[in-house]
PDB file of all heavy atoms in Angstrom:
ATOM      1  N   ALA A  49     143.216 -37.762 102.367  1.00 57.00           N
ATOM      2  CA  ALA A  49     144.163 -36.674 102.153  1.00 57.00           C
ATOM      3  C   ALA A  49     144.226 -36.319 100.673  1.00 57.00           C
ATOM      4  O   ALA A  49     144.414 -37.206  99.837  1.00 57.00           O
ATOM      5  CB  ALA A  49     145.548 -37.087 102.639  1.00 57.00           C
ATOM      6  N   PRO A  50     144.059 -35.043 100.302  1.00 66.00           N
ATOM      7  CA  PRO A  50     144.206 -34.640  98.901  1.00 66.00           C
ATOM      8  C   PRO A  50     145.638 -34.906  98.432  1.00 66.00           C
ATOM      9  O   PRO A  50     146.578 -34.945  99.223  1.00 66.00           O
ATOM     10  CB  PRO A  50     143.911 -33.135  98.927  1.00 66.00           C
ATOM     11  CG  PRO A  50     143.190 -32.892 100.219  1.00 66.00           C
ATOM     12  CD  PRO A  50     143.713 -33.918 101.170  1.00 66.00           C
ATOM     13  N   ALA A  51     145.783 -35.103  97.125  1.00 69.00           N
ATOM     14  CA  ALA A  51     147.112 -35.343  96.571  1.00 69.00           C
ATOM     15  C   ALA A  51     147.998 -34.129  96.779  1.00 69.00           C
ATOM     16  O   ALA A  51     147.559 -32.995  96.649  1.00 69.00           O
ATOM     17  CB  ALA A  51     146.992 -35.658  95.083  1.00 69.00           C
ATOM     18  N   ARG A  52     149.261 -34.385  97.137  1.00 76.00           N
ATOM     19  CA  ARG A  52     150.223 -33.308  97.329  1.00 76.00           C
ATOM     20  C   ARG A  52     151.239 -33.335  96.196  1.00 76.00           C
ATOM     21  O   ARG A  52     151.410 -34.353  95.530  1.00 76.00           O
ATOM     22  CB  ARG A  52     150.927 -33.458  98.679  1.00 76.00           C
ATOM     23  CG  ARG A  52     150.010 -33.319  99.879  1.00 76.00           C
ATOM     24  CD  ARG A  52     150.810 -33.324 101.176  1.00 76.00           C
ATOM     25  NE  ARG A  52     151.475 -34.590 101.414  1.00 76.00           N
ATOM     26  CZ  ARG A  52     150.926 -35.613 102.064  1.00 76.00           C
ATOM     27  NH1 ARG A  52     149.686 -35.516 102.515  1.00 76.00           N
ATOM     28  NH2 ARG A  52     151.597 -36.733 102.255  1.00 76.00           N
ATOM     29  N   PRO A  53     151.966 -32.245  95.978  1.00 76.00           N
ATOM     30  CA  PRO A  53     152.998 -32.234  94.932  1.00 76.00           C
ATOM     31  C   PRO A  53     154.079 -33.267  95.216  1.00 76.00           C
ATOM     32  O   PRO A  53     154.259 -33.726  96.345  1.00 76.00           O
ATOM     33  CB  PRO A  53     153.555 -30.809  95.011  1.00 76.00           C
ATOM     34  CG  PRO A  53     152.498 -30.003  95.681  1.00 76.00           C
ATOM     35  CD  PRO A  53     151.818 -30.933  96.628  1.00 76.00           C
ATOM     36  N   ALA A  54     154.806 -33.633  94.174  1.00 77.00           N
ATOM     37  CA  ALA A  54     155.915 -34.565  94.343  1.00 77.00           C
ATOM     38  C   ALA A  54     157.078 -33.858  95.023  1.00 77.00           C
ATOM     39  O   ALA A  54     157.172 -32.631  95.025  1.00 77.00           O
ATOM     40  CB  ALA A  54     156.349 -35.101  92.977  1.00 77.00           C
ATOM     41  N   GLY A  55     157.955 -34.625  95.649  1.00 81.00           N
ATOM     42  CA  GLY A  55     159.133 -34.055  96.285  1.00 81.00           C
ATOM     43  C   GLY A  55     159.215 -34.418  97.753  1.00 81.00           C
ATOM     44  O   GLY A  55     158.229 -34.785  98.392  1.00 81.00           O
ATOM     45  N   TRP A  56     160.430 -34.336  98.286  1.00 84.00           N
ATOM     46  CA  TRP A  56     160.662 -34.773  99.665  1.00 84.00           C
ATOM     47  C   TRP A  56     159.903 -33.943 100.688  1.00 84.00           C
ATOM     48  O   TRP A  56     159.545 -34.446 101.761  1.00 84.00           O
ATOM     49  CB  TRP A  56     162.161 -34.737  99.960  1.00 84.00           C
ATOM     50  CG  TRP A  56     162.751 -33.349  99.956  1.00 84.00           C
ATOM     51  CD1 TRP A  56     163.262 -32.691  98.891  1.00 84.00           C
ATOM     52  CD2 TRP A  56     162.866 -32.466 101.072  1.00 84.00           C
ATOM     53  NE1 TRP A  56     163.698 -31.442  99.261  1.00 84.00           N
ATOM     54  CE2 TRP A  56     163.462 -31.274 100.600  1.00 84.00           C
ATOM     55  CE3 TRP A  56     162.513 -32.545 102.414  1.00 84.00           C
ATOM     56  CZ2 TRP A  56     163.725 -30.192 101.429  1.00 84.00           C
ATOM     57  CZ3 TRP A  56     162.777 -31.466 103.251  1.00 84.00           C
ATOM     58  CH2 TRP A  56     163.379 -30.303 102.753  1.00 84.00           C
ATOM     59  N   MET A  57     159.615 -32.676 100.383  1.00 85.00           N
ATOM     60  CA  MET A  57     158.895 -31.826 101.338  1.00 85.00           C
ATOM     61  C   MET A  57     157.493 -32.351 101.642  1.00 85.00           C
ATOM     62  O   MET A  57     156.940 -32.070 102.712  1.00 85.00           O
ATOM     63  CB  MET A  57     158.765 -30.402 100.804  1.00 85.00           C
ATOM     64  CG  MET A  57     159.988 -29.538 100.952  1.00 85.00           C
ATOM     65  SD  MET A  57     159.584 -27.824 100.555  1.00 85.00           S
ATOM     66  CE  MET A  57     161.185 -27.058 100.815  1.00 85.00           C
ATOM     67  N   TYR A  58     156.921 -33.113 100.686  1.00 83.00           N
ATOM     68  CA  TYR A  58     155.525 -33.515 100.809  1.00 83.00           C
ATOM     69  C   TYR A  58     155.361 -35.020 101.006  1.00 83.00           C
ATOM     70  O   TYR A  58     154.243 -35.531 100.956  1.00 83.00           O
ATOM     71  CB  TYR A  58     154.767 -33.061  99.561  1.00 83.00           C
ATOM     72  CG  TYR A  58     154.938 -31.584  99.305  1.00 83.00           C
ATOM     73  CD1 TYR A  58     155.770 -31.132  98.280  1.00 83.00           C
ATOM     74  CD2 TYR A  58     154.315 -30.638 100.112  1.00 83.00           C
ATOM     75  CE1 TYR A  58     155.962 -29.779  98.054  1.00 83.00           C
ATOM     76  CE2 TYR A  58     154.498 -29.288  99.893  1.00 83.00           C
ATOM     77  CZ  TYR A  58     155.324 -28.860  98.862  1.00 83.00           C
ATOM     78  OH  TYR A  58     155.516 -27.509  98.663  1.00 83.00           O
ATOM     79  N   LYS A  59     156.468 -35.707 101.228  1.00 84.00           N
ATOM     80  CA  LYS A  59     156.397 -37.141 101.488  1.00 84.00           C
ATOM     81  C   LYS A  59     155.877 -37.370 102.899  1.00 84.00           C
ATOM     82  O   LYS A  59     156.465 -36.926 103.880  1.00 84.00           O
ATOM     83  CB  LYS A  59     157.781 -37.774 101.326  1.00 84.00           C
ATOM     84  CG  LYS A  59     157.777 -39.282 101.505  1.00 84.00           C
ATOM     85  CD  LYS A  59     159.166 -39.869 101.287  1.00 84.00           C
ATOM     86  CE  LYS A  59     159.142 -41.380 101.452  1.00 84.00           C
ATOM     87  NZ  LYS A  59     160.485 -41.981 101.258  1.00 84.00           N
ATOM     88  N   GLY A  60     154.757 -38.077 103.000  1.00 81.00           N
ATOM     89  CA  GLY A  60     154.114 -38.272 104.293  1.00 81.00           C
ATOM     90  C   GLY A  60     154.730 -39.393 105.111  1.00 81.00           C
ATOM     91  O   GLY A  60     155.313 -40.336 104.581  1.00 81.00           O
ATOM     92  N   TYR A  61     154.604 -39.280 106.412  1.00 81.00           N
ATOM     93  CA  TYR A  61     155.024 -40.341 107.319  1.00 81.00           C
ATOM     94  C   TYR A  61     154.165 -40.265 108.574  1.00 81.00           C
ATOM     95  O   TYR A  61     153.589 -39.227 108.904  1.00 81.00           O
ATOM     96  CB  TYR A  61     156.516 -40.215 107.679  1.00 81.00           C
ATOM     97  CG  TYR A  61     156.891 -38.919 108.363  1.00 81.00           C
ATOM     98  CD1 TYR A  61     156.932 -38.821 109.748  1.00 81.00           C
ATOM     99  CD2 TYR A  61     157.209 -37.780 107.622  1.00 81.00           C
ATOM    100  CE1 TYR A  61     157.270 -37.642 110.379  1.00 81.00           C
ATOM    101  CE2 TYR A  61     157.544 -36.599 108.249  1.00 81.00           C
ATOM    102  CZ  TYR A  61     157.575 -36.523 109.624  1.00 81.00           C
ATOM    103  OH  TYR A  61     157.895 -35.347 110.247  1.00 81.00           O
ATOM    104  N   ARG A  62     154.075 -41.382 109.263  1.00 81.00           N
ATOM    105  CA  ARG A  62     153.244 -41.481 110.466  1.00 81.00           C
ATOM    106  C   ARG A  62     154.143 -41.779 111.659  1.00 81.00           C
ATOM    107  O   ARG A  62     154.579 -42.914 111.838  1.00 81.00           O
ATOM    108  CB  ARG A  62     152.186 -42.569 110.300  1.00 81.00           C
ATOM    109  CG  ARG A  62     151.216 -42.298 109.153  1.00 81.00           C
ATOM    110  CD  ARG A  62     150.207 -43.433 108.991  1.00 81.00           C
ATOM    111  NE  ARG A  62     149.357 -43.214 107.840  1.00 81.00           N
ATOM    112  CZ  ARG A  62     148.227 -42.508 107.864  1.00 81.00           C
ATOM    113  NH1 ARG A  62     147.837 -41.959 109.016  1.00 81.00           N
ATOM    114  NH2 ARG A  62     147.497 -42.346 106.778  1.00 81.00           N
ATOM    115  N   PRO A  63     154.456 -40.779 112.472  1.00 77.00           N
ATOM    116  CA  PRO A  63     155.346 -41.005 113.615  1.00 77.00           C
ATOM    117  C   PRO A  63     154.710 -41.934 114.642  1.00 77.00           C
ATOM    118  O   PRO A  63     153.529 -41.794 114.982  1.00 77.00           O
ATOM    119  CB  PRO A  63     155.546 -39.595 114.180  1.00 77.00           C
ATOM    120  CG  PRO A  63     154.340 -38.823 113.730  1.00 77.00           C
ATOM    121  CD  PRO A  63     153.980 -39.396 112.393  1.00 77.00           C
ATOM    122  N   PHE A  64     155.482 -42.907 115.084  1.00 70.00           N
ATOM    123  CA  PHE A  64     155.064 -43.845 116.130  1.00 70.00           C
ATOM    124  C   PHE A  64     153.816 -44.636 115.723  1.00 70.00           C
ATOM    125  O   PHE A  64     153.066 -45.114 116.579  1.00 70.00           O
ATOM    126  CB  PHE A  64     154.808 -43.109 117.449  1.00 70.00           C
ATOM    127  CG  PHE A  64     155.914 -42.187 117.847  1.00 70.00           C
ATOM    128  CD1 PHE A  64     155.713 -40.805 117.857  1.00 70.00           C
ATOM    129  CD2 PHE A  64     157.167 -42.674 118.186  1.00 70.00           C
ATOM    130  CE1 PHE A  64     156.721 -39.932 118.207  1.00 70.00           C
ATOM    131  CE2 PHE A  64     158.189 -41.804 118.540  1.00 70.00           C
ATOM    132  CZ  PHE A  64     157.970 -40.433 118.546  1.00 70.00           C
TER     133      PHE A  64
END
Side-chain angles (χ1 to χ4, degrees):
R52 296 186 295 271
W56 66 271
M57 281 190 180
Y58 306 105
K59 183 178 181 181
Y61 60 94
R62 298 178 184 273
F64 311 112

